[in-house]
């Protein structure tokens, strides 16, 4: 199950009783179109610039994150996790892949305090870092390779956006530029293929494809698209539920209906396109890519819609920023002589303006997301709702210090990652609290984290030795069980004979994401639904997950590959194979009772009364028994919990 910022909609359903336009206008004039009165949410205020607290006695803490956190938690640090655990934690957090056993062994036998920072730097420079952290952003961007709804046509060149995100994280593209390009890359850097790929963010949402000529229906579908663009922009960058003001003033946050439609003016001229560009996003060869651009004809009108209904327009709204976030700035302050087709340039500049625009809020939102994915829950536990109905920050001082540090560092994200994972708090064990006193909030205690669905699949491929490590490029269509491949009426059906080959065994990030056909393995382990922006996945523990690990054809095939790898690398002795299997799958050696149980299991399965016994082909019997054992390892909690 994924927690999404706003479900997809085809538009507001017209009321059974027609809404009189005159009455609607009268009500609008009576209220002035203003949002709720009262104090602004904490998130719209200035950053708190308090001095760093002193370190707890006898701790020697120098990392500012530690000093702020332990002061807020009112406790001393818990014991540090063992070196092998830290290596595994860093590998999954920064790369999304299990550690190499030899490297983990060398790290554990060396001087961890001297090599830990070096390990962090090396992992941050790995090209797999971008793949790992792109997955988090693609959830927010509701990325998919098809249009969704009934016809669900393929978007075969949408992958350029995914590659832009990967490159952006790998190259540490400043987050303010990362943001501006996704809102107006076609206007800001029209000759840069990366910028043209980035602005596809606006058009990635689901789209109704229809042959209807009815103007009312076309208007509903069009405004559903515009609402998706604005709502996703609000959730992704501002952490606000702007979409709630489509039909009425926001009931909790200072966003009025007038604010909603004034901001919507930035998007009314946007249309989806597929363009031929001089090179792919960051590449050298010519390519076609899915993107968006401004309509070539005159910019459409931008009326306020009573009750959000496109058939009830009520006056032209133009383009302006929400009053509570504008700090008195107007779009022409950013783009003098602003023309309608350049509105998104002003929007992009305002969103990332940390002095007079929404930049402080944007910085808070992104550092909170980074914290969330390293520690399991954000400092603000509602990452897409920084309004009055969202949860307040556990420590606003810590959140604001990180936001200020991001801006001071030129909006680069890798220094924030480095700061967090080098903290003493990050290195705390999850096996025992070890706290002195009572923490202010439970989330300040470190908890084991489960890997996401995609990382589970990637880990299985990596451990079995069959992962295709290729970077970038078109999405691949791997096999989907016939029982799950039952989507109807799609314009581009998913192939029923997709091969299971080295080419399709790429990281899950590169799997073709078709909205009408979710991948069963990923869906079982709570992958995000790309139909809407998803800022936080809620992990479940349900019976179908165990059944998937026992019966899924992909799992069984990779268990066989894992067995072959053990046969090649560990020799003929069961004891050696068991030791190697534990090292690859769990990053440690088996304890004596585990080694004894595993070798006994293998012996019994191939003995005269074993289920795999075959006197005619004992080699095949041993292989099948070893594959059974490998599948057991894939199903262990320890395999898909980071520590």
């Amino acid at each position: 199950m994924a927690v999404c910022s706003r479900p997809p909609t085809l538009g507001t359903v017209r009321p059974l009783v027609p809404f009189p336009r005159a009455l609607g206008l009268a009500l609008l004039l009576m209220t002035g179109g203003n949002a709720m009165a009262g104090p602004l949410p904490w998130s719209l205020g200035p950053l708190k610039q308090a001095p760093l607290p002193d370190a707890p006695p006898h701790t020697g803490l120098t990392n500012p994150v530690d000093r702020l956190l332990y002061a807020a938690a009112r406790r001393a640090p818990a014991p540090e996790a063992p070196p092998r655990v830290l290596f595994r934690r860093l590998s999954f957090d920064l790369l999304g892949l299990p550690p190499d056993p030899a490297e983990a062994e060398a790290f554990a036998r060396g001087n961890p305090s001297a090599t830990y920072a070096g390990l962090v730097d090396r992992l941050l420079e790995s090209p797999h870092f971008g793949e790992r952290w792109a997955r988090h952003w693609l959830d927010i961007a509701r990325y998919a390779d098809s249009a969704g709804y009934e016809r669900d046509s393929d978007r075969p060149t949408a992958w350029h956006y995914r590659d832009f995100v990967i490159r952006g994280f790998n190259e540490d593209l400043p987050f303010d530029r990362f943001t501006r390009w996704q809102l107006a890359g076609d206007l800001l850097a029209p000759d840069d293929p990366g910028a043209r790929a980035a602005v596809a963010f606006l058009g990635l949402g689901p789209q109704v494809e229809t042959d209807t000529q009815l103007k009312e229906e076309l208007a509903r579908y069009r405004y559903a698209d515009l609402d998706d663009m604005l709502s996703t922009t609000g959730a992704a960058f501002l952490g606000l539920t702007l979409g709630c003001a489509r039909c009425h003033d926001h009931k909790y946050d200072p966003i009025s209906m007038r604010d909603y439609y004034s901001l919507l003016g930035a998007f009314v001229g946007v249309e989806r396109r597929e363009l031929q560009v001089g090179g792919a996003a960051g590449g050298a060869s010519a390519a076609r890519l899915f993107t968006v651009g401004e309509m070539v004809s005159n910019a459409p009108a931008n009326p306020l819609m009573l009750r959000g209904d496109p058939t009830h327009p009520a006056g032209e709204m133009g383009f302006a920023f929400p009053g509570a976030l504008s700090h008195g700035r107007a779009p022409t302050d950013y783009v003098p002589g602003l023309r309608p087709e350049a509105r998104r340039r002003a929007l992009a500049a305002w969103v990332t303006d940390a002095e007079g625009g929404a930049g402080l809020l944007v910085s808070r939102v992104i550092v909170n997301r980074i914290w969330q994915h390293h520690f399991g829950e954000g400092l603000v536990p509602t990452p897409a709702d920084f309004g009055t109905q969202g949860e307040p920050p556990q420590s606003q001082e810590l959140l604001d210090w990180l936001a200020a540090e991001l801006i001071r560092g030129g909006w680069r994200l890798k220094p924030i990652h480095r700061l967090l994972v080098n903290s003493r708090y990050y290195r705390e064990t999850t096996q025992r609290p070890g706290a002195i006193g009572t923490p202010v909030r439970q989330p300040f205690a470190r908890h084991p984290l489960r890997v996401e669905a995609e990382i589970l699949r990637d880990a299985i491929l990596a451990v079995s030795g069959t992962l295709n490590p290729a970077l970038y490029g078109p999405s691949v269509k791997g096999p989907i069980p016939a029982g799950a491949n039952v989507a109807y009426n799609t314009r581009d059906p998913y192939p029923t004979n997709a091969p299971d080959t080295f080419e399709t065994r790429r990281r899950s990030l590169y799997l073709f994401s078709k909205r009408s056909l979710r991948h069963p393995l990923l869906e079982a382990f709570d992958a995000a639904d790309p139909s809407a922006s998803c800022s936080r996945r809620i992990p479940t523990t349900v019976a179908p997950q165990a059944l998937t690990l026992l019966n899924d054809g992909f799992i069984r095939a990779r268990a066989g590959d894992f067995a072959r790898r053990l046969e090649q690398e560990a020799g003929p002795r069961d004891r050696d194979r068991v030791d190697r299997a534990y090292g690859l799958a769990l990053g440690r050696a088996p304890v004596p009772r585990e080694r004894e149980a595993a070798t006994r299991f293998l012996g019994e399965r191939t003995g005269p009364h074993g289920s795999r016994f075959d006197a005619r082909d004992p080699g095949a019997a041993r292989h099948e028994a070893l594959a059974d054992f490998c599948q057991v390892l894939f199903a262990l909690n320890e395999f898909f919990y980071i520590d």
Side-chain angles (χ1 to χ4, degrees):
M1 177 178 71
V3 173
C4 298
S5 59
R6 193 167 190 267
T9 176
L10 295 184
T12 304
V13 178
R14 181 184 295 182
L16 294 176
V17 178
F19 188 79
R21 179 178 299 183
L23 176 58
L25 287 172
L27 291 172
L28 192 63
L29 291 172
M30 288 170 60
T31 62
N34 293 326
M36 58 170 278
L40 293 176
W42 65 269
S43 58
L44 304 188
L47 299 179
K48 289 187 175 182
Q49 299 290 334
L52 288 176
D54 295 331
H58 312 298
T59 60
L61 297 177
T62 58
N63 190 309
V65 170
D66 290 324
R67 292 168 65 178
L68 287 161
L69 182 136
Y70 290 117
R74 287 184 273 179
R75 67 174 176 87
E80 188 168 318
R84 291 180 192 277
V85 171
L86 290 177
F87 195 106
R88 179 177 169 86
R89 186 183 294 175
L90 281 172
S91 186
F92 274 111
D93 277 0
L94 297 180
L95 307 184
L97 293 170
D100 177 84
E103 293 181 0
E105 179 69 20
F107 178 76
R109 290 181 177 277
N111 182 355
S113 62
T115 60
Y116 182 88
L119 174 62
V120 169
D121 290 342
R122 180 167 63 83
L123 296 181
L124 285 173
E125 292 307 312
S126 168
H128 298 305
F129 171 81
E131 293 177 317
R132 170 59 168 146
W133 283 83
R135 178 66 268 167
H136 299 315
W137 187 259
L138 295 179
D139 282 3
I140 297 166
R142 79 273 191 241
Y143 172 83
D145 296 292
S146 68
Y149 295 117
E150 184 179 43
R151 294 188 179 181
D152 199 23
S153 296
D154 287 354
R155 293 173 177 167
T157 61
W159 59 268
H160 291 284
Y161 173 80
R162 178 247 294 147
D163 281 7
F164 157 76
V165 176
I166 298 173
R167 285 191 172 92
F169 285 121
N170 273 337
E171 297 169 6
D172 206 11
L173 185 71
F175 190 75
D176 56 346
R177 193 193 314 169
F178 183 79
T179 299
R180 289 195 297 269
W181 277 12
Q182 290 182 80
L183 297 177
D186 58 319
L187 306 177
L188 297 172
D191 297 326
D192 190 314
R196 298 306 297 262
V199 77
F201 168 85
L202 296 175
L204 286 172
Q207 175 189 14
V208 175
E209 302 165 293
T210 178
D211 298 323
T212 185
Q213 300 300 313
L214 296 176
K215 291 184 178 180
E216 288 188 1
E217 291 302 307
L218 291 174
R220 292 183 192 281
Y221 297 149
R222 174 61 180 162
Y223 272 88
D225 274 353
L226 295 177
D227 179 72
D228 170 75
M229 293 179 195
L230 181 56
S231 298
T232 304
T233 297
F237 300 111
L238 303 174
L240 294 176
T241 55
L242 298 180
C244 293
R246 174 178 176 175
C247 307
H248 49 72
D249 290 351
H250 201 296
K251 295 204 177 284
Y252 305 105
D253 297 338
I255 306 294
S256 70
M257 202 172 166
R258 286 180 180 273
D259 288 333
Y260 173 92
Y261 285 97
S262 296
L263 196 57
L264 194 70
F267 304 116
V268 291
V270 173
E271 63 179 358
R272 294 177 176 90
R273 294 176 180 173
E274 190 171 86
L275 296 180
Q276 184 81 24
V277 295
S285 59
R288 295 191 66 81
L289 59 83
F290 173 84
T291 185
V292 304
E294 291 291 322
M295 296 179 181
V296 294
S297 58
N298 293 331
N302 180 37
L304 183 148
M305 303 293 182
L306 296 178
R307 290 188 177 178
D309 189 337
T311 63
H312 288 82
E316 178 70 22
M317 295 305 298
F319 169 52
F321 307 132
L325 290 88
S326 66
H327 304 286
R329 298 292 182 96
T332 52
D333 292 329
Y334 296 97
V335 183
L338 180 66
R339 296 175 59 84
E341 62 269 21
R343 289 171 172 175
R344 285 184 290 115
R345 285 185 60 196
L347 174 67
W350 167 76
V351 162
T352 54
D353 178 6
E355 296 182 357
L360 296 183
L361 178 57
V362 171
S363 65
R364 280 170 165 150
V365 170
I366 186 58
V367 297
N368 186 67
R369 295 192 191 283
I370 295 174
W371 186 281
Q372 168 193 341
H373 293 302
H374 279 306
F375 299 108
E377 182 176 73
L379 290 167
V380 178
T382 50
D385 190 354
F386 275 49
T388 57
Q389 289 298 291
E391 294 192 39
Q394 301 170 43
S395 171
Q396 187 177 344
E397 292 78 9
L398 175 53
L399 179 69
D400 285 0
W401 188 90
L402 289 169
E405 186 70 11
L406 175 70
I407 296 171
R408 283 193 295 268
W411 291 84
R412 295 192 178 274
L413 300 182
K414 283 190 178 181
I416 302 299
H417 286 282
R418 184 176 288 108
L419 191 67
L420 295 184
V421 299
N422 275 307
S423 70
R424 180 64 176 76
Y425 176 60
Y426 181 85
R427 301 197 300 272
E428 279 191 1
T429 182
T430 61
Q431 299 306 307
R432 46 171 292 192
I436 300 174
T438 303
V440 174
R441 292 191 57 144
Q442 185 64 24
F444 276 128
R446 297 283 279 127
H447 299 286
L449 301 179
R450 202 178 80 187
V451 300
E452 297 96 327
E454 294 87 348
I455 305 307
L456 173 62
R457 177 182 175 275
D458 296 350
I460 289 172
L461 285 168
V463 168
S464 66
T466 59
L467 176 66
N468 179 350
L471 298 166
Y472 308 116
S475 300
V476 297
K477 294 184 177 181
I480 289 181
N485 192 354
V486 292
Y488 299 106
N489 302 321
T490 59
R491 180 167 287 174
D492 299 307
Y494 196 89
T496 57
N497 59 345
D500 178 15
T501 64
F502 184 69
E503 176 60 30
T504 62
R505 293 176 204 150
R506 301 188 65 191
R507 293 196 67 167
S508 305
L509 184 77
Y510 300 107
L511 289 178
F512 194 94
S513 174
K514 195 163 182 66
R515 284 189 161 99
S516 63
L517 184 61
R518 307 280 301 283
H519 194 291
L521 174 62
L522 304 185
E523 186 174 21
F525 286 92
D526 312 308
D529 183 348
S531 295
S533 177
C534 178
S535 291
R536 182 167 63 104
R537 298 184 185 186
I538 301 297
T540 62
T541 302
V542 293
Q545 294 167 347
L547 295 172
T548 298
L549 294 172
L550 287 172
N551 300 296
D552 185 82
F554 169 84
I555 301 290
R556 183 61 195 179
R558 301 294 79 79
D561 293 332
F562 190 10
R564 277 184 284 276
R565 180 180 185 181
L566 297 176
E567 290 164 348
Q568 295 169 3
E569 296 181 5
R573 292 203 315 164
D574 286 344
R575 175 191 175 93
D576 295 336
R577 292 176 175 181
V578 169
D579 286 357
R580 180 63 172 160
Y582 267 80
L584 289 168
L586 306 180
R588 64 173 178 84
V591 299
R593 61 181 178 81
E594 290 172 328
R595 184 182 293 111
E596 180 185 354
T599 53
R600 185 171 64 250
F601 170 84
L602 293 173
E604 290 175 350
R605 299 284 275 181
T606 55
H609 304 290
S611 59
R612 295 297 184 184
F613 176 73
D614 187 346
R616 296 166 299 177
D617 193 348
R622 291 195 70 198
H623 172 79
E624 289 300 314
L626 188 58
D628 292 342
F629 168 67
C630 292
Q631 191 167 356
V632 169
L633 292 182
F634 288 157
L636 291 177
N637 274 358
E638 190 176 349
F639 183 77
F640 53 89
Y641 275 86
I642 293 177
D643 56 44

